[in-house]
Amino acid sequence: MSHDIIHIERTYPISTAALWQAMTDKQKLKDWFFDIPNFSTEVGAQFEFSKVEKRKNDYHQCQVLEVKPEELFKFTWRHPKQTKGNSIITWRFIPRRGATTLHLTHESLEHFRDAGEQFSQERFESGWERILGDSLTKFIEKL
């Protein structure tokens, strides 16, 4: 297994359908993830967004690769202003009794090595931990 892959699992106390909605409805995404006006779950669709933080503008470009409603959402993740690299994110939705486990995989991070420490595996991993463990959890608690 490559060291340039992140795997994170979180189990949320909601149905697979509810978690899918939280993670694929652009209005709900805006509440816990990013504001992505052109977000789509259609294979081949492209979407982009920016995160402005401490005077940095992190522009993200993504393209949907594979969709199985309430099972899997897979897309590319690029930072074209900082690197020519391309990574792949997969969200897998696993039903549990009265809950859903989300398995996130973020792979091909080695393609971002030329972009510096800001795009290191450690930074991505801590970001995903914060987003899934804090932001998404707090959003779900309000449902």
Side-chain angles (χ1 to χ4, degrees), residues 23 26 29 33-42 44-50 59-65 67 73-78 80 89 91:
M23 297 186 72
K26 64 179 142 188
L29 280 171
F33 190 49
F34 291 104
D35 183 11
I36 311 173
N38 65 337
F39 181 82
S40 174
T41 57
E42 190 172 316
Q46 296 185 22
F47 57 91
E48 61 274 329
F49 58 96
S50 294
Y59 177 68
H60 302 70
Q61 267 185 348
C62 304
Q63 182 172 14
V64 180
L65 300 175
V67 177
F73 186 68
K74 185 175 192 175
F75 56 100
T76 63
W77 180 280
R78 299 182 58 231
I89 296 173
W91 294 340

Side-chain angles (χ1 to χ4, degrees), residues 2-142:
S2 170
H3 294 294
D4 297 312
I5 299 175
I6 295 169
H7 293 279
I8 298 174
E9 278 195 359
R10 291 274 186 271
T11 299
Y12 302 99
I14 59 174
S15 70
T16 304
L19 185 59
W20 177 264
Q21 278 297 308
M23 297 186 72
T24 60
D25 178 282
K26 64 179 142 188
Q27 294 297 25
K28 291 179 177 151
L29 280 171
K30 185 177 179 179
D31 290 338
W32 69 270
F33 190 49
F34 291 104
D35 183 11
I36 311 173
N38 65 337
F39 181 82
S40 174
T41 57
E42 190 172 316
V43 173
Q46 296 185 22
F47 57 91
E48 61 274 329
F49 58 96
S50 294
K51 176 184 175 189
V52 179
E53 181 181 292
K54 297 179 185 174
R55 297 187 192 164
K56 292 180 188 173
N57 184 8
D58 293 329
Y59 177 68
H60 302 70
Q61 267 185 348
C62 304
Q63 182 172 14
V64 180
L65 300 175
E66 185 178 358
V67 177
K68 294 179 185 173
E70 299 182 21
E71 289 181 35
L72 178 137
F73 186 68
K74 185 175 192 175
F75 56 100
T76 63
W77 180 280
R78 299 182 58 231
H79 298 276
K81 290 184 178 181
Q82 290 84 8
T83 179
K84 294 180 186 198
N86 202 19
S87 66
I88 298 173
I89 296 173
T90 305
W91 294 340
R92 294 183 190 281
F93 299 79
I94 305 161
R96 305 282 186 218
R97 290 183 182 172
T100 304
T101 296
L102 173 71
H103 183 106
L104 174 135
T105 305
H106 193 164
E107 57 190 301
S108 301
L109 295 170
E110 68 273 9
H111 296 280
F112 294 150
R113 286 190 184 133
D114 65 330
E117 181 63 26
Q118 180 184 357
F119 296 91
S120 68
Q121 179 172 347
E122 292 77 21
R123 285 278 183 93
F124 277 109
E125 193 158 5
S126 73
W128 284 119
E129 289 284 357
R130 186 182 71 254
I131 289 167
L132 299 178
D134 188 33
S135 299
L136 181 57
T137 298
K138 286 179 181 174
F139 175 79
I140 287 170
E141 287 171 355
K142 294 177 186 177

